[in-house]
Amino acid sequence: MYKEINLPMDTKLDVSSYLKIVRVSNFKDISSFKNSIDNTIKFYGKNTKRLYFYLEDLEILKTLYNLKYKNMFMLFDVNTKNISLVKEYKEILGSFYTKALLDSIIKPSEVVDIVKFLAKYNIRSEISYDLFKKLDSKNFENITKELLLDKKYVKYVEPFFSFANYVYEKNIKKSSKHTLWEIFKDELNGFLYINKDSDVAVSKRWDKRGKYLYNLDDKEQSIKKSPLYQELKSYDENLFFENLECAMCDKYELCKAYLKFENKEYDCSGFKSMIEEIEKNFEIFKKASCQSVKEAV
């Protein structure tokens, strides 16, 4: 079973996964829109444990609310238009479980303020890989102080909540299954991202880079023949020969050299300092991490 499959609403894929993220575009009429939503819920109810709808326009949420839908899981991108609607849609947002996606359009210096703003409305935030890689040591230090080490906010932002939970598992269970490949949804055989042309990538970031595993229309869907698959697989297999520094790093169990995959010169010092601060201050947020892990999505 896949951990997550992200795909357009007009693509129906009868493959089991823990999570499906169905991307919803603008619609022509209310009747066909409602039918599409109902059919999607019915179709994925058989092969999915949790279903999210990703809204390309937050105003679609108002339509769903007026159609009497409630308690659905929703995702939306943070941009100037969408974030300006949060206050206006306060009552509507309260009827759904919502998460805001922060991509590289957001400045690193804005992350803390945006997360705190959204948390006031009980909206969780998820930071993309491309935004994460833009964070410098000063950004990491500020995020650690303002979000990670504050029980009020740590549960509201990924991937930082997962970092806290990783330390929790290491301290309590003496082991953890978390790695950055999984946290950022780049793990082979765990995640799929399907674009509107039926091209299948591991994650959204590989779709943005035009790198795919196969196309759904291919007669022979051989993932292992894909250059992307070979690139990811060979990196893992050759790590101890090509990047001994990462292989010997004390944070390797969490990172698995993920941060240097596209850029061997990436400075990991801010990331490592953040994890060390979590470990040193673990008692501050242990309770928040333990109680919130089942809520995190």
Side-chain angles (χ1 to χ4, degrees):
M1 177 185 287
Y2 282 93
K3 295 171 184 176
E4 176 183 305
I5 299 176
N6 188 315
L7 71 176
M9 190 159 69
D10 58 2
T11 299
K12 295 293 188 292
L13 188 67
D14 194 11
V15 175
S16 295
S17 65
Y18 174 79
L19 178 68
K20 291 284 194 317
I21 296 177
V22 177
R23 304 193 298 275
V24 182
S25 303
N26 289 321
F27 52 91
K28 295 180 179 180
D29 62 85
I30 296 294
S31 179
S32 61
F33 175 69
K34 187 177 186 306
N35 285 336
S36 294
I37 294 292
D38 290 341
N39 290 334
T40 298
I41 293 172
K42 182 179 179 181
F43 183 83
Y44 289 122
K46 302 174 183 177
N47 56 29
T48 308
K49 291 189 176 181
R50 178 167 290 183
L51 179 64
Y52 261 90
F53 286 96
Y54 163 80
L55 308 180
E56 294 186 356
D57 188 336
L58 191 56
E59 290 183 349
I60 296 174
L61 195 67
K62 188 174 182 179
T63 302
L64 290 168
Y65 180 78
N66 290 334
L67 289 170
K68 308 301 182 184
Y69 290 105
K70 288 186 177 181
N71 300 320
M72 297 166 69
F73 292 91
M74 299 291 170
L75 298 170
F76 66 92
D77 288 323
V78 171
N79 54 48
T80 303
K81 180 181 179 182
N82 283 350
I83 203 163
S84 66
L85 290 174
V86 170
K87 287 184 180 180
E88 181 183 339
Y89 285 5
K90 180 180 178 180
E91 180 182 351
I92 295 174
L93 287 162
S95 297
F96 300 92
Y97 303 103
T98 50
K99 181 187 285 185
L101 306 177
L102 281 62
D103 208 342
S104 54
I105 189 174
I106 303 298
K107 296 178 181 178
S109 59
E110 298 174 329
V111 169
V112 168
D113 288 340
I114 289 175
V115 170
K116 288 186 173 182
F117 169 76
L118 293 169
K120 289 194 303 184
Y121 299 95
N122 202 33
I123 300 172
R124 299 175 187 273
S125 300
E126 181 175 308
I127 292 173
S128 73
Y129 166 86
D130 288 324
L131 174 55
F132 186 86
K133 289 295 289 283
K134 290 170 65 177
L135 302 176
D136 60 21
S137 294
K138 185 176 180 180
N139 299 139
F140 277 116
E141 183 179 352
N142 191 39
I143 288 171
T144 302
K145 178 183 176 182
E146 298 292 331
L147 300 177
L148 267 170
L149 299 183
D150 189 323
K151 290 186 292 185
K152 181 179 179 181
Y153 293 112
V154 63
K155 67 180 181 180
Y156 279 101
V157 58
E158 284 288 7
F160 301 101
F161 175 78
S162 285
F163 298 153
N165 193 55
Y166 167 82
V167 175
Y168 165 75
E169 290 184 342
K170 286 288 291 180
N171 277 266
I172 303 302
K173 302 179 181 179
K174 305 305 178 185
S175 65
S176 176
K177 295 180 180 179
H178 282 73
T179 71
L180 294 191
W181 294 92
E182 177 184 359
I183 289 169
F184 282 103
K185 304 174 183 178
D186 269 342
E187 190 177 61
L188 278 173
N189 304 317
F191 301 87
L192 292 179
Y193 184 95
I194 303 168
N195 68 17
K196 60 182 178 59
D197 297 318
S198 298
D199 296 315
V200 181
V202 179
S203 66
K204 182 178 181 179
R205 81 177 178 104
W206 292 116
D207 176 55
K208 289 166 66 175
R209 290 157 173 74
K211 293 188 176 184
Y212 304 104
L213 298 172
Y214 58 88
N215 186 282
L216 291 178
D217 295 331
D218 291 343
K219 292 183 179 180
E220 294 185 11
Q221 297 174 359
S222 178
I223 293 177
K224 293 184 179 181
K225 292 181 180 179
S226 159
L228 174 59
Y229 179 91
Q230 295 299 329
E231 185 179 357
L232 293 170
K233 192 69 175 175
S234 63
Y235 181 71
D236 180 53
E237 293 173 346
N238 297 327
L239 181 66
F240 282 83
F241 301 101
E242 298 180 357
N243 197 334
L244 189 60
E245 178 187 357
C246 284
M248 301 302 291
C249 177
D250 61 356
K251 301 297 182 289
Y252 174 74
E253 184 177 340
L254 170 59
C255 180
K256 300 288 187 181
Y258 178 78
L259 295 175
K260 290 183 181 278
F261 178 66
E262 289 187 291
N263 177 16
K264 291 183 179 180
E265 305 304 316
Y266 176 76
D267 181 7
C268 303
S269 58
F271 169 75
K272 290 193 285 189
S273 295
M274 175 189 66
I275 298 300
E276 289 166 2
E277 283 300 308
I278 298 173
E279 293 170 340
K280 285 192 295 186
N281 295 280
F282 181 64
E283 293 300 323
I284 294 176
F285 61 88
K286 179 174 69 175
K287 188 175 181 180
S289 182
C290 180
Q291 291 180 340
S292 303
V293 66
K294 292 183 179 180
E295 301 172 18
V297 290

